[in-house]
Amino acid sequence: RCCEKLGVVKAGADEPDAPCTVGFCDLMRDVAQNGTLAEMLSVITVCEWTYLTWANRVLAADAGVNREDFVTYEWVDLHSGPEFEGVVAYF
C-alpha cells in the first residue's frame, strides 16, 4: 500500500538498487543462510536499532508525525514505543 501510494511499484520497478542496499541485502541473506546465531542477531540488531533511531527522531521533531499520511505514521508506530524498544534491547 505504501509503495503504491509513493509510486514505487510503477516508477521504481526498473531501477536497480543502490550498491549499499545490494550489499546489505546480500549480507543479510548470507548470514541467514550460513551464519551463526550470534551473527544473525548482530545483523538484525543493526537493522532494527537503525529503524528505532529513525522513528524516535521523527517523533522528537517539532512537527511530529503526520497522522494524515499513513506512509509516515504506520512506519513510525511500528518502529517506536516501549514494545519495539524492548525487542531491540533484547537483541
Side-chain angles (χ1 to χ4, degrees):
R1 164 172 109 140
C2 290
C3 288
E4 183 177 323
K5 179 170 181 180
L6 295 171
V8 173
V9 174
K10 294 177 184 172
D14 296 329
E15 296 177 24
D17 289 332
C20 62
T21 303
V22 171
F24 190 68
C25 289
D26 288 348
L27 171 66
M28 290 186 78
R29 194 170 8 279
D30 181 54
V31 169
Q33 293 172 353
N34 305 305
T36 64
L37 178 59
E39 291 168 332
M40 291 177 199
L41 288 173
S42 296
V43 171
I44 197 69
T45 299
V46 169
C47 183
E48 300 303 330
W49 191 355
T50 301
Y51 288 167
L52 174 63
T53 301
W54 289 340
N56 284 340
R57 289 178 95 183
V58 170
L59 289 172
D62 291 335
V65 176
N66 180 358
R67 293 287 167 183
E68 302 294 319
D69 182 8
F70 71 87
V71 172
T72 301
Y73 80 78
E74 285 183 0
W75 188 91
V76 170
D77 288 351
L78 179 65
H79 295 96
S80 64
E83 293 84 12
F84 190 73
E85 288 176 7
V87 170
V88 174
Y90 180 76
F91 288 149

